[in-house]
Amino acid sequence: MKVVLVGYALFQLYTSYFGMLEPLVQRGVFLGLGIGSIFLMTAQRRLAEKQVRALVPLDIALAIIGYYVCFHIVFSAKRISNFMVELTTWDMMLGALAIAVVLEAARRTIGFFLPLIALAGLAYYYFGHQYITGTWQPPRVSALTFIETYYASTETIFGYMVDMGTRIIAIFIILGALLLSTGATEIFIKLATRIAGRTYGGQAKVCTVSSALFGTVTGSAVANVMAMGPVTIPTMRRAGYKGSYAAAVEAVSSAGGQIMPPIMGAGAFIMAEILNIPFSSVMTAAVIPALLYFMVLWFSVGLRARRYGMRPLERSELPLWKDLAEPFAALPMYLPAAALIALLMMDYSPTLAGSMAILVLVATLLVLRTLKCLLEGRARDLPEVYRTLLKEIFEGLYLGGKAITMIAVLLACAAIVVKVLTATGAGVKVSSLILSFSNDSLVIVLVLTAVLAILLGMDVPTTASYILASAIAGPILIRLGIEPLNAHLFIFYFAILSAITPPVCASVFAAASIAGESFWRVAGHAVVMAIALYLIPFLFIFRTGVLMEGTVFDIVYDTTITGLAVFAITGASAGFLLGPLTWVARIILYMGGGLLFFPAAWSDAGGVAIVVVMAAFSHWFPKEDPPHQPVAASLEGRR
């Protein structure tokens, strides 16, 4: 199985360096290897864990079907691309099987929610004309049209979403996997500890910073939690934080990694494709929102630490700057990141930027490890050094190929739903329904869009939530005069927040399982911590300076006011500003922060006044008998 997945990753690398194959061939190989491998991995897991071994033959059969239905398209690409050709009965049967295995593979990787929506959409598309009348009646379609639309064309499961997966997203998944397999995680933790360790709440801020750094490589909330959580959550607990709060910090921090440039989540690449703009435009617009996101977490854990008397790390516990700048350890992380950012900012394609970053990474590792071995007089150890490096690269390619399988079926399943919305006109009808319900009120439409993105994000990755919500709500926001990039970033941000919003929130569930804490307790901490985060996207519409739009004054002013608003809301949530706050003071501070989110001179003046007064009040007249809790101050860890 490892060989198949490594080959899967190598196929993506080969086509990124030497050019993509023709569309149906490239996408057919990408999706076929993804679907088939998911079923083979299931069979392998059943055998290893001795679970329901009787189902292994079924898994293998589904794997063969998954490979075959897609490779049939690969080998029949020229025939199928001819619009004058009629599909054969065999083509029709394989088309039906392809749709079925896509839905089943998606169910096994991302849960029931999205596949059920896709299945309901397919039923509506094919049978709706017979059983539904009136406005919502879809057009009549034949079985031939159905299969041509969803299988034997570049419209749906081999459409532009799968193209984005094979052309761009896969490269960045491989880059992230290679960075991790070659030791980047340790550098992330050390750098974050050096940056945040000496501040209040330093142990939790290390989690925040490391997740931001790590998230910009992986672009996945759950991947962040699973990679960083086993390190950061125990560290926070030893520092005195409750396990549920520590897990919440990790969950919220990891979700934010998806909006942290330069890579962001897969949805950001799809956004650039939908809007037909350079990815660098999306990346630039996301810089301040990403900083605001992590500013909320920075303030939250810092103010909570001050409230409960948690001390920063000792200076002796911090890694030295010279260790972080030590070439043999640091350059393999810094150089690929620098190359990636430079190429993206110069408007080179993401495919080229990602593939060149991988090349820089491998070349840097090879040169530095060879040089280190020679400088230390261990020339005879070079074969072992190269074997170790090859093993790490092999492991990275394996992990990358494994992650790509999920992306492949996710995009194919999401494409099915989006095609239903466009082919039946259901998307336009839902949009009209939202507009009529809101009476064309922009604020109500924004709230409904936020709720829609969060609901569609239940039990599905951010990418799928963004794709579905943008297909429905994106045109509405644009119709109401919102710039396309602002509208799509608004939707994308709330799709990210769905990962931490109950009742179904994947990153919270992952963090709670690592911490061994109640899911609901962790979710409660996450929501309170994220109150200000739910307000930030509205600034994309009303304070566009935070998206780098307008004059320098507009950008600085909007960012400053927003930062103050975030500080106020977070302080009210934490119950601490410059001192402990009473409940009355917290409510007033919420009101002051809320005023700063409203774009008017009077509200800015009033909000600033309230925040300043409450800060002075909390300093000079703190709440009596502020709460304290015993703090381990990481004594166990220090011993």
Side-chain angles (χ1 to χ4, degrees):
M1 192 67 246
K2 275 194 172 185
V3 174
V4 174
L5 292 174
V6 169
Y8 191 21
L10 288 173
F11 168 75
Q12 297 302 141
L13 287 175
Y14 175 82
T15 54
S16 70
Y17 288 119
F18 299 102
M20 299 289 160
L21 308 177
E22 62 176 280
L24 278 177
V25 174
Q26 179 78 29
R27 301 170 197 180
V29 174
F30 175 72
L31 186 57
L33 288 175
I35 294 173
S37 298
I38 282 173
F39 292 118
L40 281 185
M41 284 190 290
T42 304
Q44 186 181 51
R45 187 172 63 251
R46 291 191 203 278
L47 289 172
E49 299 177 1
K50 300 180 180 180
Q51 295 179 350
V52 201
R53 290 189 174 186
L55 294 179
V56 170
L58 175 61
D59 294 330
I60 294 174
L62 289 172
I64 293 171
I65 292 171
Y67 287 132
Y68 185 78
V69 294
C70 292
F71 278 91
H72 174 75
I73 289 292
V74 171
F75 296 123
S76 307
K78 288 186 178 179
R79 176 175 63 86
I80 290 173
S81 297
N82 184 351
F83 290 105
M84 302 301 294
V85 74
E86 282 284 335
L87 296 184
T88 65
T89 303
W90 186 237
D91 293 329
M92 300 284 286
M93 291 174 58
L94 292 180
L97 283 172
I99 294 169
V101 292
V102 164
L103 296 180
E104 173 59 15
R107 183 196 68 80
R108 295 192 182 196
T109 53
I110 60 176
F112 282 95
F113 186 71
L114 186 61
L116 282 178
I117 291 178
L119 188 60
L122 289 170
Y124 172 67
Y125 176 68
Y126 188 70
F127 298 107
H129 188 84
Q130 303 175 42
Y131 301 105
I132 298 174
T133 58
T135 306
W136 289 87
Q137 184 182 47
R140 184 189 301 274
V141 294
S142 64
L144 177 62
T145 301
F146 181 84
I147 297 300
E148 284 180 339
T149 301
Y150 281 92
Y151 175 65
S153 68
T154 55
E155 290 189 40
T156 310
I157 65 173
F158 300 112
Y160 81 93
M161 288 189 191
V162 170
D163 177 57
M164 284 293 297
T166 185
R167 189 160 45 87
I168 298 175
I169 298 171
I171 291 299
F172 288 94
I173 291 175
I174 295 169
L175 173 60
L178 286 172
L179 280 169
L180 296 181
S181 68
T182 54
T185 305
E186 185 179 353
I187 294 294
F188 283 134
I189 295 290
K190 286 183 177 180
L191 182 59
T193 303
R194 183 70 226 191
I195 293 172
R198 285 292 294 161
T199 62
Y200 279 95
Q203 297 89 339
K205 288 178 180 176
V206 168
C207 165
T208 300
V209 176
S210 60
S211 291
L213 295 171
F214 187 74
T216 196
V217 173
T218 64
S220 169
V222 176
N224 271 15
V225 173
M226 300 310 293
M228 307 302 289
V231 178
T232 58
I233 292 175
T235 300
M236 285 186 277
R237 294 180 89 157
R238 288 195 299 270
Y241 287 98
K242 292 181 179 178
S244 55
Y245 185 82
V249 171
E250 177 57 49
V252 180
S253 300
S254 294
Q258 296 172 96
I259 200 172
M260 176 59 69
I263 297 178
M264 306 170 64
F269 294 106
I270 294 174
M271 185 191 308
E273 186 79 5
I274 292 172
L275 299 177
N276 194 28
I277 60 175
F279 178 73
S280 59
S281 299
V282 178
M283 185 175 68
T284 302
V287 168
I288 295 176
L291 293 176
L292 289 171
Y293 187 104
F294 287 99
M295 187 186 297
V296 169
L297 298 179
W298 187 278
F299 287 152
S300 180
V301 298
L303 293 173
R304 184 181 179 89
R306 290 177 66 89
R307 180 183 181 188
Y308 289 108
M310 298 178 182
R311 291 294 169 189
L313 292 172
E314 298 295 333
R315 191 175 300 276
S316 60
E317 295 178 283
L318 301 181
L320 300 176
W321 281 114
K322 67 177 183 179
D323 293 335
L324 295 172
E326 200 272 320
F328 296 111
L331 285 181
M333 185 189 78
Y334 298 147
L335 288 182
L340 177 66
I341 294 171
L343 290 170
L344 288 175
M345 293 307 296
M346 287 189 287
D347 282 338
Y348 284 96
S349 71
T351 306
L352 175 64
S355 58
M356 290 307 297
I358 291 173
L359 192 60
V360 169
L361 171 64
V362 174
T364 303
L365 288 167
L366 181 62
V367 170
L368 288 178
R369 292 191 183 184
T370 300
L371 186 60
K372 183 179 181 180
C373 203
L374 294 176
L375 290 174
E376 293 175 353
R378 296 185 296 111
R380 65 181 182 279
D381 294 337
L382 280 175
E384 181 60 30
V385 169
Y386 294 148
R387 277 195 296 270
T388 301
L389 177 58
L390 189 61
K391 183 178 178 181
E392 290 174 356
I393 293 173
F394 184 87
E395 183 67 18
L397 292 173
Y398 164 66
L399 294 175
K402 189 176 180 181
I404 295 169
T405 60
M406 188 191 79
I407 289 293
V409 297
L410 162 64
L411 293 174
C413 191
I416 290 174
V417 179
V418 172
K419 190 61 182 178
V420 169
L421 294 174
T422 56
T424 64
V428 175
K429 293 165 189 172
V430 173
S431 299
S432 300
L433 190 65
I434 292 175
L435 282 172
S436 62
F437 181 80
S438 65
N439 198 25
D440 286 359
S441 167
L442 178 58
V443 174
I444 295 177
V445 169
L446 289 172
V447 171
L448 291 176
T449 300
V451 172
L452 177 68
I454 289 173
L455 289 177
L456 290 175
M458 291 193 305
D459 204 29
V460 300
T462 298
T463 304
S465 174
Y466 163 70
I467 290 170
L468 300 181
S470 63
I472 296 172
I476 305 176
L477 297 179
I478 295 170
R479 175 178 165 182
L480 291 176
I482 306 303
E483 289 295 321
L485 178 57
N486 302 42
H488 280 257
L489 277 172
F490 179 89
I491 296 168
F492 184 55
Y493 203 105
F494 274 107
I496 289 171
L497 292 178
S498 68
I500 60 171
T501 306
V504 182
C505 32
S507 64
V508 171
F509 182 83
S513 64
I514 292 172
E517 296 284 344
S518 162
F519 164 79
W520 287 106
R521 191 169 295 152
V522 176
H525 282 303
V527 169
V528 171
M529 193 183 306
I531 288 174
L533 298 180
Y534 290 100
L535 299 175
I536 288 174
F538 291 90
L539 300 171
F540 304 168
I541 312 301
F542 299 115
R543 289 192 186 274
T544 56
V546 299
L547 297 184
M548 298 285 194
E549 296 178 4
T551 65
V552 173
F553 175 80
D554 292 334
I555 295 171
V556 172
Y557 181 81
D558 285 350
T559 303
T560 302
I561 291 295
T562 302
L564 189 60
V566 160
F567 178 65
I569 297 291
T570 307
S573 301
F576 192 98
L577 209 55
L578 298 182
L581 296 169
T582 64
W583 276 105
V584 173
R586 294 172 75 171
I587 292 171
I588 295 173
L589 193 57
Y590 273 127
M591 294 171 59
L595 283 174
L596 293 174
F597 279 96
F598 188 79
W602 65 267
S603 61
D604 290 351
V608 169
I610 289 175
V611 174
V612 170
V613 169
M614 296 313 301
F617 181 83
S618 67
H619 179 69
W620 295 107
F621 304 101
K623 175 184 176 183
E624 294 183 3
D625 299 321
H628 292 284
Q629 68 182 40
V631 179
S634 70
L635 291 178
E636 290 185 21
R638 294 175 188 177
R639 289 171 188 162

